[in-house]
Amino acid sequence: MLAVTTGSPSCAPESMVRDVGIPVKAVSWARLHPGRTADGQPSLLASMCQSNGGLFVIDIDLQTGHCRQYPVRDRVNSTFSPASWRSLLSGVLYIGSGWDAHLHRFDANHPKRGIDDLGRYDPSPEASSPFALTETPDGAIWIGTYAGARLAKYDPATGQFTPFGRMDETDNYLYPLGGDDGSLAALVKFSRPHLVVIDPQTGEHREVGPAVTDPTDKAQFLKFLKATDRRLYLDSHAGKFRVDGMNLTPVDEIPPLLPGIHATYQHAYQAPAEMPGGWTAHFLDDRINGSGTPRQVLLVNRDPLVASRTLTLDWIGDGSNVYSIDVGPGGALYGSSYMPNHLFTASPNGGDVRDLGQHTFAMGVAYSLATVGEKVYLGSYPEARLSVYDRTRPLHFGTHPNDNPRDLGRLDNVSYRPNALLATPDGRIWMGSSPDYGLYDGTVAWYDPKTGDRKSHRDDFPEVSPASFLWLPGQNQILIGLSIEPGTGMKVKRLNGAFALWDPTEDKLAWAGDLGLADLADVTSLAPAGGGLVYALVGRGDHVLIAGAPEIGPRLVLLDPAKRAVVASAWLPADFGPLSWHGLFSLRPGPGGVVYGATGYCIFRIQPETCEVERVWQKVWKKKRDSVVWLNSADPNVIDVVGPIIGNQFYFATGWRLRALTLP
């Protein structure tokens, strides 16, 4: 049945929504690009990415650290850039942007031109983001993409792009490298990592050498790199090889790695050329891997008699997208920003909004939070690392017992996206995760803060991943909502989600099933409905649609977990719009035990003991494409992240803005 809805699409007036603040103004994929200008002067550029205002380039004064800042032209769509390259031939800086699939150019010899948008490098919608740029001796810039593992070429002499299409029929990530001998090859990831050699004239390609057939087998590896002789090499579990045109030649030894992005198995970037005068530049805070607020640059001279110098950069950030929000110690709001993964806190009235900085070595994002007393635990992507912050102690990030926040590490070697985090009465922290890139079968794991013990379970979840948790005090069990989400880069193997019950005392799966619900999508959120009943919000986020799942609209389910039965079920009205990107934590208990929910554009109230819903607040929503709907964080209509309800305030985020709706 369809959920009954009352009220107009704008039940609550706009004045009932207020901005609480912008918690984090940091950057991701920060890369230094040393070089020289046409007149032979040293030049140091850096490229940085941000959610609000798009990517930008800074031209750094080597005496003062002052930054001349150049924004990208399209500040709304050109925000994300894991790929940048300063040409060794021309000194021009190239930056690929996602998710709009554009290539950009900045020339330090002509800074007044700013960043030129060279256009879309591949018309295919698959090629949404560039993940690697490289250069061949003819000056061509080669672009490896996600998705589709596609290859494109840009010719600076003509300004023309040549797309060569997919380099693999199954995988989605491509990392090309060009050798100075004219060879061109690329590493394909992640389901079955392997190398392809490519004819740069025609785009003809073929697989060569060994492949990783089991990503969980750490004895299997491929390291594709450019060495100091400027040739391409493959180091692998099956031997060492040099790329010679369209062939591999076995070698006994591989020359040292040419520093920089030439190592496709590393994210660290340092251009392979020093600046005039023998200077090289490095971020001092390189442990954050180019994410956060990199301000300190160390200049080192090859002459040991010339003293090193430290520059303090003065670039200005505009805002990082909020990714998770929950209520924490003292009733304050706590959450994480998206790339970089900074912990923030805010008072509910917005009077005290603070960026607490790094809390983990996983600088992607914290998917989930759990509060225990004065401590906040966070589960973060990548690697599903667990971290903890104690608000009563001074800030000093690290991994030691006295550090705060403290990175507690991984709970296993498979978990990657920790969708759910829960504290149980026995003091343990439970984490539900989807698996690493290229894998299937998610995990349930636990950590005991008192002893440091940890354990992970994977065999119980074939072809599904935990997406939501809820503690059931009457049953002393954890209710789990399951998603068909595989590891990134993989296609879904099944079409239906499921529910499960976990017994923490026995530490084993007690039951799993679909409760007889047909077309059961991902169980993205769970909330107590009173009387032992539970509400579940079921829907399908973009990440699962991209993995090949058919679109299914959001549905509300009222269930009795003790009887393992459905009490009521109803599809949400179509004009409520889609779930936000993941749909996680989209149901929230409110005043009087009433449960509220949210989609990407609508906040609704559930009539107790039913699946009937009432709009509380909604903005106009228009479907942007036939299938996958990308929610634009710059769109003021979007509810990107659903947060808690405190009093009569429903907190959520639109892009980088933390916001609150006063419930009527």
Side-chain angles (χ1 to χ4, degrees), residues 33 46 55 81 89 100-101 103 123 133 142 157 167 172 237 240 311 350 357 402 437 484 495 513 565 583 591 603 612:
H33 309 279
L55 63 87
S81 178
L89 301 174
D100 60 346
L103 186 67
L133 298 181
W142 299 83
M167 297 292 108
N172 284 308
H237 58 277
K240 304 177 187 297
L311 302 176
N402 292 329
Y437 285 68
I484 61 174
L495 300 182
I603 292 175
E612 297 180 5

Side-chain angles (χ1 to χ4, degrees), residues 383-566:
E383 296 186 335
R385 298 184 74 90
L386 186 65
S387 60
V388 59
Y389 168 70
D390 185 339
R391 72 164 184 153
T392 66
R393 299 174 52 218
L395 281 170
H396 184 273
F397 170 71
T399 60
H400 299 293
N402 292 329
D403 289 325
N404 184 47
R406 181 187 177 194
D407 187 316
L408 297 167
R410 304 188 70 177
L411 302 187
D412 56 56
N413 292 322
V414 171
S415 303
Y416 227 67
R417 298 181 187 268
N419 298 318
L421 210 62
L422 175 72
T424 48
D426 62 4
R428 283 183 290 177
I429 307 297
W430 293 78
M431 178 187 290
S433 302
S434 58
D436 199 345
Y437 285 68
L439 299 180
Y440 288 92
D441 311 341
T443 58
V444 165
W446 57 261
Y447 168 78
D448 188 336
K450 298 186 294 292
T451 64
D453 292 341
R454 58 194 73 193
K455 187 175 182 180
S456 179
H457 304 269
R458 185 181 178 210
D459 294 340
D460 299 287
F461 303 100
E463 301 176 0
V464 291
S465 296
S468 52
F469 279 171
L470 182 67
W471 175 246
L472 303 176
Q475 298 175 226
N476 291 315
Q477 290 180 325
I478 300 171
L479 178 62
I480 305 174
L482 293 168
S483 163
I484 61 174
E485 177 186 10
T488 305
M490 304 300 289
K491 295 297 183 181
V492 296
K493 284 189 174 181
R494 57 181 279 172
L495 300 182
N496 291 333
F499 297 90
L501 290 169
W502 191 270
D503 185 331
T505 303
E506 298 291 332
D507 197 18
K508 67 180 183 180
L509 182 68
W511 168 85
D514 60 12
L515 298 176
L517 291 164
D519 296 322
L520 181 61
D522 303 324
V523 184
T524 64
S525 188
L526 300 166
L533 303 182
V534 171
Y535 280 116
L537 189 62
V538 182
R540 199 147 271 177
D542 282 348
H543 63 305
V544 179
L545 298 179
I546 291 169
E551 187 170 5
I552 300 178
R555 174 165 42 165
L556 191 63
V557 177
L558 179 61
L559 62 115
D560 186 334
K563 296 180 180 179
R564 301 174 187 173
V566 172

